[in-house]
Amino acid sequence: MALYSDKVMDHFQNPRNVGKLDDADGIGEVGNAKCGDIMRMYIKVRDGVIVDCKFNTFGCGSAIASSSMATEMIKGKPVDEALELSNKAVVEALDGLPAYKLHCSVLAEEAVKAAVKDYYDKNGIAYDPALFSKLEDCEHCHG
Ligand code: FES
């Protein structure tokens, strides 16, 4: 069996929604201290719905495929639903990742959460900090 699924290869070779949103309503940047990869996620929100999103990933193929898939999964979704996106769901949508590459999908989940948090913060929207507790470790490493 091939190490990477066709979907992973497709999203790695033809990533969707790559780039930057100049008028983003929320921007999340996360990094993995161990591998040094960095992911930046941009979201545009209208009436509580993510109407557009883009990403830039300076990292491995699995991180690129994961972020590409994550953008497809959150586009058109209400912001609070996007927050429910788990790395597991991203991996499933990609038809799997090798075990030692699972952390790359975690980066995608965290980048989405960081972008939503930024959107909430910029717009004075109250939230339960526990929603973003995983991010603190990430920001800690990254910072
Ligand atoms: Fe770092 Fe994939 S090896 S995110």
Side-chain angles (χ1 to χ4, degrees):
M1 200 183 106
L3 188 56
Y4 292 107
S5 71
D6 290 344
K7 275 200 193 157
V8 172
M9 291 310 291
D10 179 33
H11 278 266
F12 166 54
Q13 286 169 333
N14 310 292
R16 325 307 195 252
N17 308 307
V18 176
K20 185 179 171 203
L21 280 180
D22 286 327
D23 53 351
D25 297 303
I27 303 173
E29 185 175 296
V30 294
N32 181 302
K34 279 200 188 131
C35 64
D37 290 355
I38 295 173
M39 194 179 286
R40 193 175 294 154
M41 186 73 64
Y42 301 85
I43 56 170
K44 185 153 192 56
V45 181
R46 284 293 165 272
D47 299 324
V49 172
I50 297 176
V51 291
D52 202 3
C53 60
K54 289 204 184 296
F55 78 93
N56 275 135
T57 292
F58 308 94
C60 74
S62 301
I64 291 169
S66 296
S67 27
S68 168
M69 182 56 89
T71 57
E72 290 222 304
M73 293 172 83
I74 64 167
K75 220 183 211 183
K77 289 240 170 84
V79 180
D80 48 350
E81 261 183 50
L83 267 187
E84 288 167 16
L85 181 79
S86 67
N87 80 298
K88 196 166 169 271
V90 172
V91 172
E92 277 171 14
L94 286 170
D95 291 338
L97 277 176
Y100 67 97
K101 284 285 171 184
L102 289 177
H103 76 272
C104 316
S105 63
V106 172
L107 215 51
E109 177 191 324
E110 289 173 344
V112 170
K113 286 195 164 68
V116 170
K117 182 175 183 292
D118 185 50
Y119 164 72
Y120 284 166
D121 287 339
K122 281 180 176 150
N123 290 279
I125 299 170
Y127 55 81
D128 177 359
L131 283 173
F132 302 103
S133 55
K134 256 177 149 184
L135 274 184
E136 274 166 29
D137 298 338
C138 197
E139 277 167 7
H140 178 68
C141 305
H142 190 50

